[in-house]
Amino acid sequence: MKDISLVKGWTLVAASFIVVFAFSTVDHAISPLVEWLRAFFGVAAENVLWLISSCTAGIVAGLFVGPQFIKSVRVSRAVWISLLMMAGGVWAFVATPVFAWSLVVRFVFGLGAGIFSTILWWLAYESIDRRFYTPMITVLTAARPMAVAAGVPLVMYGGKYISWRWSFAVLGLLTAVFCLAFLWAAPNDAGQKVPFTPKAVLARYRLAWATPRLKTFFAAMFVNRLCYFGFYSMLGLWFIGHYHLDTLEIARPLMAIGVCETLINFVVPFLLRIGPKKLFYLSVAGNAAAFGAFAWGVLPLWWAIAFIGLFAMTDRVYNMLLLLFIPKVFDASKDRTTIGSLVTLVSWAALMAVSWLEGAFLQAAGLNVTAACLLLALVAGTVLYIKVLKRTVFAVPAA
């Protein structure tokens, strides 16, 4: 029994990693593949970014209803539903050249990914054997940047030899196979189930919305995340416009940036010795300075990539600090689980909004005007963050 529990525990960790890696690769590959997708669908390159916003809308919807959904149906059934949506969404996406239909199936794919993400948080916080808690959290934080570092470049090189459509289809197959492995190893869901109603979904968030400082904090997060996600959304067009790279040439910079963002996850615990307050100010200042250095595309290519890597790393540092600050920022809250889920919801809502806006207006505004707007959003969001933190985490104790 002990051996089988070990096998199931590591199977859950491995399966979770592969599924998150696969759906993150599918999601992040859109921007670098913008030229290939433009040719395939016969639309303007900027409109291709709507494939990001439609998928993200699905993820937001899945994350929004996910906590209540898994309280209403067995987790095994929820996994099957998300499997069909993710794998089916990928295969339907590569099978159709109709852009409007591709937006629909990307939404369905995102909905499945959002539900599966909720299942993973249920597993990590409520169900997994404590021996596998740390590996599971590592998977949840590191799989996405590793998809940028390895998964997206593999799709791009695969596009050269077997076509990007077949590369995506393989990712759909990986998703299906490892969702089935996850089902085999998942612990029993013995929780009492309740009916799924819109009222029950909204009640959870309505209660959280009354928490002091919550509106300002999450307004700061939404505005701040517009910069990070906005740059990633237009990354392919940015490299093409400023450095005249073709699709395959973008792969190497992506690997370098993804490696930077992956490694910083393991460095933050050591950086915390500087002190959370000082580290926060250093990281937000470094983040804005790094973006301002590379955003206009005037640096030599590899200097620009170095500053993009620094931008990604400093972003990761202060956002991890914000997660650590949440209990003290919302010390009066009795439902921090919902507040934690709002972090993901608001972040993905920012991605949905900025990718749609760029798809609609980037061609008219141009790369530099868009970059200036993103920098303004970064600074404005940071100022709002500091306003909240000075009243809570950074407040000087009364004498």
Side-chain angles (χ1 to χ4, degrees), residues 33-368:
L33 297 183
V34 63
E35 277 299 302
W36 291 352
L37 294 169
R38 176 198 61 77
F40 179 71
F41 288 112
V43 297
E46 291 78 12
N47 294 156
V48 170
L49 302 186
W50 287 340
L51 294 170
I52 300 173
S53 55
S54 63
C55 178
T56 309
I59 292 172
V60 168
L63 288 167
F64 184 77
V65 304
Q68 191 63 37
F69 185 71
I70 63 173
K71 289 182 181 296
S72 302
V73 303
R74 295 293 172 200
V75 165
S76 58
R77 182 175 294 179
V79 174
W80 273 111
I81 291 169
S82 59
L83 182 163
L84 292 172
M85 287 181 172
M86 287 189 290
V90 172
W91 293 330
F93 176 67
V94 300
T96 177
V98 180
F99 189 66
W101 174 240
S102 72
L103 294 174
V104 174
V105 297
R106 285 278 296 176
F107 176 86
V108 171
F109 169 82
L111 184 62
I115 291 172
F116 193 80
S117 295
T118 304
I119 294 167
L120 292 181
W121 288 115
W122 164 83
L123 179 69
Y125 284 131
E126 298 185 35
S127 305
I128 200 166
D129 190 307
R130 292 297 93 185
R131 291 173 294 178
F132 302 101
Y133 174 76
T134 300
M136 192 67 193
I137 293 298
T138 302
V139 160
L140 294 176
T141 56
R144 190 196 64 79
M146 289 185 73
V148 176
V152 175
L154 283 173
V155 168
M156 297 167 80
Y157 285 116
K160 179 180 179 181
Y161 299 106
I162 61 171
S163 87
W164 67 266
R165 297 167 74 189
W166 278 107
S167 298
F168 270 45
V170 169
L171 289 168
L173 180 62
L174 280 176
T175 301
V177 168
F178 282 92
C179 276
L180 293 174
F182 184 96
L183 273 171
W184 172 78
N188 291 329
D189 176 17
Q192 184 70 32
K193 298 303 173 183
V194 297
F196 180 83
T197 64
K199 183 178 179 180
V201 174
L202 293 173
R204 176 185 297 268
Y205 294 101
R206 191 180 296 116
L207 183 64
W209 201 243
T211 305
R213 297 180 293 273
L214 185 136
K215 297 180 184 68
T216 304
F217 184 86
F218 283 104
M221 181 170 289
F222 180 85
V223 174
N224 177 272
R225 301 311 284 156
L226 292 174
C227 181
Y228 175 86
F229 285 125
F231 177 71
Y232 266 94
S233 295
M234 68 174 187
L235 179 142
L237 290 171
W238 188 86
F239 274 118
I240 293 167
H242 284 308
Y243 294 98
H244 311 293
L245 303 185
D246 63 29
T247 300
L248 286 180
E249 288 172 335
I250 297 172
R252 289 174 65 190
L254 272 180
M255 283 188 275
I257 296 163
V259 166
C260 289
E261 197 169 357
T262 301
L263 292 178
I264 196 65
N265 288 286
F266 305 99
V267 178
V268 170
F270 300 100
L271 294 177
L272 282 170
R273 295 173 185 174
I274 298 171
K277 180 178 179 180
K278 186 181 292 185
L279 183 59
F280 180 82
Y281 281 119
L282 285 172
S283 57
V284 294
N287 191 244
F291 187 81
F294 74 76
W296 323 111
V298 296
L299 295 175
L301 176 60
W302 283 101
W303 273 106
I305 292 166
F307 276 105
I308 296 170
L310 179 62
F311 170 72
M313 289 191 291
T314 51
D315 177 272
R316 177 66 56 175
V317 170
Y318 76 78
N319 278 285
M320 289 182 74
L321 285 171
L322 288 167
L323 292 178
L324 296 175
F325 294 158
I326 278 177
K328 193 167 183 179
V329 172
F330 303 111
D331 54 358
S333 173
K334 296 179 181 178
D335 186 9
R336 291 177 194 161
T337 299
T338 299
I339 289 175
S341 72
L342 277 170
V343 172
T344 311
L345 270 173
V346 171
S347 296
W348 286 104
L351 172 57
M352 176 180 65
V354 75
S355 57
W356 183 86
L357 288 168
E358 288 177 351
F361 302 111
L362 180 59
Q363 187 174 24
L367 292 170
N368 286 343

